[in-house]
Amino acid sequence: LAEKVRLLLYGNRESGHSYKVALALALLGLPYEFQAVDLATPRKARPAKFRRVAKFGEVPVLCVDDHPLVQSNGILSYLSRVTGKLAGPSEEATQEWLFWEANRIGFSLPNLRYHRCFRPGCAEELVTWFEQRTLLDLERLDRELSDGRLFLLGAPSVADISCCAYLFWADQVSLDMTRFANVRGWLERISKLPGWRSPYDLLA
Ligand SMILES: N[C@@H](CCC(=O)N[C@@H](CS)C(=O)NCC(=O)O)C(=O)O
């Protein structure tokens, strides 16, 4: 990444997808400007400068100078590719986790959290399904880390950043994490990486 490049991140303080990108930038030590987008505003009424760059209407968007990048895991792949850092041992292994995340923990947990925290009492049957899926995903992560590996791919990578993001809100969602000792240890290690900051700290 060229030194003089300007990085502008559009995100929202409750968005784990935004947190993934903010966390990657923080761990990479790349300075960026953060602009909060109010997601309570209907899509068509959001600021024109955001609508111009948000191809799918969602946060996060990372503008690299004038070039907008969307889709959190795509942005993580871009950042690891251009910096040569947090890439994992092979592109295949890293991509596997990014695609797993998009359909599993990056789907189940955000939806569980959304209903528990922002729409309490709504769609209980669906909430139960999100919770069951989240627990299965936590079991899968816990099993992956059961061989004493410190990070998903050995060394810290964008696979960890992607899969961990929403888990820093686990308490808020009343998820009982006691069963997932390996995941708890992994989150603890991630939170000790140089540059790590919590979601609300980064998305402010
Ligand atoms: N697949 C997308 C998902 C992004 C996403 O779901 N963004 C949510 C916030 S976490 C959003 O912008 N919601 C507002 C809307 O859809 O209008 C990614 O990985 O970036």
Side-chain angles (χ1 to χ4, degrees):
L1 212 55
E3 238 171 54
K4 288 221 170 104
V5 86
R6 177 175 176 252
L7 297 173
L8 168 62
L9 174 63
Y10 288 99
N12 179 278
R13 79 188 295 270
E14 301 295 351
S15 159
H17 292 91
S18 304
Y19 179 53
K20 289 187 215 174
V21 178
L23 182 57
L25 292 168
L27 295 179
L28 288 166
L30 293 171
Y32 63 96
E33 185 190 331
F34 179 72
Q35 283 206 6
V37 178
D38 179 6
L39 299 179
T41 306
R43 284 187 175 197
K44 285 185 179 154
R46 291 176 193 163
K49 62 183 181 167
F50 171 68
R51 281 187 286 127
R52 256 197 308 277
V53 293
K55 180 171 178 175
F56 298 115
E58 303 168 322
V59 292
V61 178
L62 181 68
C63 294
V64 181
D65 284 334
D66 292 330
H67 182 57
L69 300 166
V70 298
Q71 294 296 319
S72 56
N73 289 345
I75 301 172
L76 294 183
S77 295
Y78 168 87
L79 289 172
S80 66
R81 194 172 63 248
V82 296
T83 61
K85 294 179 185 162
L86 298 171
S90 75
E91 197 183 333
E92 289 81 357
T94 309
Q95 292 294 315
E96 279 176 4
W97 278 109
L98 296 183
F99 280 94
W100 180 83
E101 189 274 348
N103 184 49
R104 296 299 317 193
I105 195 88
F107 169 81
S108 54
L109 183 48
N111 281 299
L112 179 63
R113 176 170 174 257
Y114 176 73
H115 285 87
R116 285 253 165 93
C117 300
F118 305 109
R119 306 279 308 271
C122 164
E124 280 309 329
E125 214 174 308
L126 206 51
V127 176
T128 304
W129 184 67
F130 289 137
E131 182 171 42
Q132 284 165 354
R133 247 181 105 113
T134 302
L135 293 172
L136 281 176
D137 297 342
L138 281 165
E139 276 167 24
R140 181 62 193 86
L141 279 173
D142 206 72
R143 200 161 67 243
E144 187 69 22
L145 294 158
S146 64
D147 62 0
R149 219 178 310 157
L150 297 183
F151 297 95
L152 287 173
L153 297 169
S157 73
V158 288
D160 300 294
I161 295 174
S162 179
C163 292
C164 79
Y166 277 93
L167 285 168
F168 285 105
W169 277 292
D171 286 353
Q172 203 188 56
V173 187
S174 310
L175 268 179
D176 177 11
M177 294 293 286
T178 49
R179 282 168 55 196
F180 308 110
N182 298 320
V183 170
R184 281 188 286 119
W186 168 68
L187 292 174
E188 179 76 17
R189 284 190 291 282
I190 292 173
S191 71
K192 298 234 162 73
L193 291 172
W196 183 88
R197 284 161 66 198
S198 69
Y200 291 141
D201 201 10
L202 277 179
L203 301 173

